Amino acid sequence: MNRIQSRASLALRNAIASQLQQVGARHLVSVVAGLSAAAVLLPSGVQAAESEGATLSEIIVTATRHEERLLDVPVSTSVLAGEPLAAIGSAGDDIRQLAFRVPSLNIESSNGRTFPRFYIRGYGNTDFTSFASQPVSLVYDDVVQENPALKGFPIFDQADVEVLRGPQGTLFGRNSPAGVVKLESAKPVLGQFSGYGSLSDGTYNTSVMEGVVNLPLSEQVAMRFSTQGQHRDNWVDDPINHTSLEGYDDWAARIQLLYKPSDSFSALFNVHGRTLGGSARLFRANIIQLGTNSLVPGFDPAKFYADGYNGQSYSMAGGNVHLTWTLPSVTIQSITGYESILHYNTIGDIDGGYGSGNVFCNFAPTGCAPADASGPGFIPFSVESGGGIKHHRQITQEVRALWNVSSALTAQAGVFLFDEDVEDSSHNISQTGVVFLDTTNSRQKNDAQAVFGSLEYAVTSAFKVRGGVRFTNDHKTFSVPVSELADGTPIPLYSYYKAASATNVSWDLSATYQVAADTNVYARVATGFRAPSFGAPNNTTDIAVARSETNISYEAGVKSDLWNRRARVAFDVFYYDVSHQQLTAVGGLANTTTLLNAAHSIGQGAELEFSAQLTPTLSLNVSGSLNDTKIKDKNLAVGHCFDWSFVASANPALADVHCNVTNPLDSNGNVLINGNPLPQAAKYIADVSLRYSVPVGAGDGEFYAYTDWSYRSKINFFLYEATEFTGPAMTQGGLRVGYTWADKKYDVAAFCRNCTNQIRAIGAIDFENATGMINDPRIVGAQVSVKF
């Protein structure tokens, strides 16, 4: 064990030292040094903060699947809870609101409020199919949400959100080589009648209603009912269809029942559901100015020109049972989960414009009939598509035991079972969005079994080592039961059955050393695994299969509570190498979606978090990350974006209608992507928030102001690099000003989100024209909250 640890520590030290020289993480080290200097230079302000309530509360997390101080966890971990979490969710945002709020986290979607895609340290997956697997695992109340359409469940009545960066493949059950986003609901409380209600309304009638009631049913039983409703009016005008879009109604509820007859046993039952209706994502044609990544002059976010139907509907239900036996030397926990997408359907005009434009008309032997007017800009084809999930169910079972073997040694071990069945349907639709032209139903079944164990040993009171291992067996089948024209004529495009299996052993090894009473340094080496995936056909006769993906990650960091816990700092550096990363190439001249493997992808960088209670009435939070990612595969090439200059001889106006690819091409005209950053991987992320309060009168009234600002640098939308499809840097801020009284029982506030109304293209479609998707506009509103 010591020999293995010695090798791992040496590898870690060498890798980190090498990568820091390359990526400039020394700048973040300088920031940490500056914060340390500030600790010395501000003793008077800190001493003034010693009054009651002026210290930072201790953070307890379950990152290692049992309760532990954040300070002691040898994993780069961020926690969002309380006011910061409530503030960023006040304007009807969905789970994407968490993006860029903690270091190295991005969340995006081309499906609106459903189907979010997660990225940690730049490592994620842009696949938008119903069977997409992601290297970031979302775990809600200890149950993995595997299908991406499950991952958008709203955040409300939340205890906290934990973001675990780096591979978590030992203690978490599904696809987590990049990390885990772990959400924990507030639990029922015995013997307490309590709750709260809040109501907000803002621009475009953006309203959020949230209500919670905790009911003590007996000395041994308590129930907690939580619900949230979000609404926004349609605010985007579509003059072609004479309708309005971009509104939604999104409702979710959760009922939990806690039964605790003794200190040694508890049972927690959880039932939850969600229903959503509104617009699908708006794909806006020709909004990106060619030759730049800026929006075209005069772009109006409140206008959308399309000739097809646009809409989305979704519903799901699920439940879980947590059973816990707490015995003198061992704690046993059983977690049974069931999730089901009851209905999911989305239809969108993906050409983003109107009119039956046809780029090939000039080459037809007999010419073309006069075309209707089309726009905005050049619309070469009319494309409407839709689809959704016809059937889905997921069953999980985990049994875990934690032993206190001795005062120095603890251990945990368990088994995990996973079973999922998904059938989706995709359609090509007529221009009006009414008549189905053809349809394809696909079905995937996935079962997996795993056994795992980990040990923690206190070598001395200051030095601890941890190690874990997990064996996983994963099996998937894929079939196409229906592929036919609207009249039932079969379409022979697919092999009708595929199967893929894989086994893997993941492991991690870490060490923590306490250098001072409230300061720990740690080092960690960990591996991760993602099973094979199925994708769209890579030719006309077969279904694409991407092989298993594995990675190894090295990380070292320091965590410290400063100034008698009036400040807290965490800093880490990391390096990872992904072998055979599963990537998705979307679009291109052939308008395809291709699943492929890259030989290697690497990521390296650093992360910083700093919090301080500077005075009893002023608090500060600062965080940032540096992520430098690169695809390493000299022979990997993908299709590139639109280029209509080949028809310029017949239509000279199209000579300049093309995107500007900045990568070299291979002999087949495809783009070589070796050395490119991973898509949606921002190199720099930063977030800062301040809260200032003013006590009022002799009572406990308080005026307060809270502001938060996040920044991310430019990103690539696709695997290749093109001027138009590089998302520009974005800075967004929020402000909340309010008054609270009666021991914070009552609260009234005014707020804004995206206060500067910065609008950017945050996603794109590349196969027809400069089609983009934009972020949400500024929302200004007010909120009233009552606790009881």
Side-chain angles (χ1 to χ4, degrees), residues 500-553:
S501 299
T503 59
N504 177 262
V505 176
S506 300
W507 56 268
D508 63 74
L509 182 65
S510 61
T512 305
Y513 183 70
Q514 186 181 44
V515 297
D518 293 310
T519 300
N520 290 335
V521 295
Y522 72 92
R524 182 173 188 258
V525 185
T527 66
F529 160 73
R530 189 151 63 110
S533 295
F534 298 108
N538 53 17
N539 53 52
T540 59
T541 61
D542 207 357
I543 296 167
V545 182
R547 62 180 297 183
S548 296
E549 166 184 304
T550 59
N551 75 320
I552 187 166
S553 171

Side-chain angles (χ1 to χ4, degrees), residues 264-276:
S264 61
F265 175 74
S266 67
L268 178 64
F269 304 89
N270 177 315
V271 178
H272 52 270
R274 178 192 186 195
T275 180
L276 166 70

Side-chain angles (χ1 to χ4, degrees), residues 5 20 25 72 86 104 107 173 176 229 263 295 328 380 390 394 567 640 672 703 724-725 730 752 783:
Q5 183 183 342
L20 287 180
D72 299 326
S104 299
I107 310 171
S176 58
D263 292 338
L295 298 175
K390 295 172 62 68
Q394 172 192 292
H640 61 76
L672 293 165
F703 283 108
E724 292 78 7
F725 300 127
M730 185 163 65
C752 68
Q783 183 176 31

Side-chain angles (χ1 to χ4, degrees), residues 8 56 100 195 198 209-210 233 247 276 387 414 426 441 448 458 487 527 605 622 675 718 771 777:
L56 298 176
F100 315 122
S198 70
M209 183 280 291
E210 186 171 342
D233 287 347
L276 166 70
S426 61
N441 291 352
D487 62 3
T527 66
V622 178
F718 305 111
T771 300

Side-chain angles (χ1 to χ4, degrees), residues 657-681:
V657 181
H658 62 86
C659 67
N660 293 271
V661 177
T662 57
N663 291 133
L665 305 182
D666 67 8
S667 58
N668 296 318
N670 293 320
V671 185
L672 293 165
I673 62 173
N674 183 54
N676 284 358
L678 292 169
Q680 293 289 337

Side-chain angles (χ1 to χ4, degrees), residues 37-272:
V40 177
L41 294 173
L42 295 174
S44 58
V46 172
Q47 294 300 323
E50 289 187 8
S51 60
E52 182 179 354
T55 60
L56 298 176
S57 59
E58 188 170 77
I59 298 178
I60 304 297
V61 297
T62 55
T64 54
R65 303 307 287 258
H66 64 278
E67 291 188 351
E68 192 171 12
R69 293 193 309 167
L70 178 63
L71 181 69
D72 299 326
V73 176
V75 177
S76 179
T77 305
S78 296
V79 179
L80 278 173
E83 187 172 42
L85 191 59
I88 62 178
S90 58
D93 292 328
D94 55 69
I95 198 169
R96 291 172 292 172
Q97 67 189 272
L98 301 178
F100 315 122
R101 303 299 172 183
V102 299
S104 299
L105 177 66
N106 184 19
I107 310 171
E108 55 86 27
S109 173
S110 56
N111 292 60
R113 299 174 69 85
T114 61
F115 217 98
R117 297 186 287 258
F118 293 73
Y119 307 78
I120 291 180
R121 293 175 172 171
Y123 184 7
N125 183 12
T126 59
D127 192 351
F128 56 84
T129 68
S130 298
F131 313 106
S133 70
Q134 297 182 353
V136 177
S137 184
L138 182 80
V139 178
Y140 213 131
D141 290 333
D142 280 334
V143 176
V144 64
Q145 309 294 294
E146 176 69 7
N147 191 281
L150 289 174
K151 296 176 188 276
F153 194 84
I155 300 174
F156 62 99
D157 192 24
Q158 208 71 36
D160 67 16
V161 177
E162 300 175 18
V163 179
L164 287 59
R165 293 177 284 267
Q168 309 298 323
T170 301
L171 295 178
F172 290 87
R174 291 290 299 169
N175 300 328
S176 58
V180 169
V181 177
K182 188 174 183 295
L183 297 96
E184 196 72 25
S185 303
K187 298 299 186 286
V189 180
L190 293 173
Q192 181 183 100
F193 175 73
S194 61
Y196 68 86
S198 70
L199 179 65
S200 68
D201 191 66
T203 312
Y204 312 122
N205 196 25
T206 300
S207 55
V208 180
M209 183 280 291
E210 186 171 342
V212 176
V213 177
N214 189 94
L215 291 173
L217 302 181
S218 72
E219 292 183 355
Q220 301 173 340
V221 182
M223 184 180 76
R224 190 176 186 93
F225 174 75
S226 313
T227 187
Q228 177 183 269
Q230 296 177 307
H231 167 85
R232 180 173 293 169
D233 287 347
N234 289 314
W235 62 276
V236 176
D237 180 44
D238 180 357
I240 305 301
N241 285 315
H242 306 290
T243 188
S244 297
L245 299 163
E246 279 288 81
Y248 57 80
D249 287 290
D250 195 350
W251 288 86
R254 179 169 53 240
I255 299 175
Q256 298 178 88
L257 183 71
L258 173 65
Y259 172 56
K260 189 175 176 63
S262 67
D263 292 338
S264 61
F265 175 74
S266 67
L268 178 64
F269 304 89
N270 177 315
V271 178
H272 52 270

Side-chain angles (χ1 to χ4, degrees), residues 610-667:
F610 175 75
S611 302
Q613 189 70 47
L614 300 176
T615 75
T617 59
L618 177 63
S619 60
L620 167 71
N621 290 277
V622 178
S623 67
S625 58
L626 166 64
N627 288 270
D628 185 31
T629 63
K630 281 185 173 60
I631 298 169
K632 293 291 188 180
D633 192 326
K634 293 182 179 180
N635 299 315
L636 189 59
V638 299
H640 61 76
C641 44
F642 63 93
D643 185 344
W644 301 111
S645 60
F646 74 96
V647 298
S649 60
N651 190 344
L654 299 181
D656 295 322
V657 181
H658 62 86
C659 67
N660 293 271
V661 177
T662 57
N663 291 133
L665 305 182
D666 67 8
S667 58

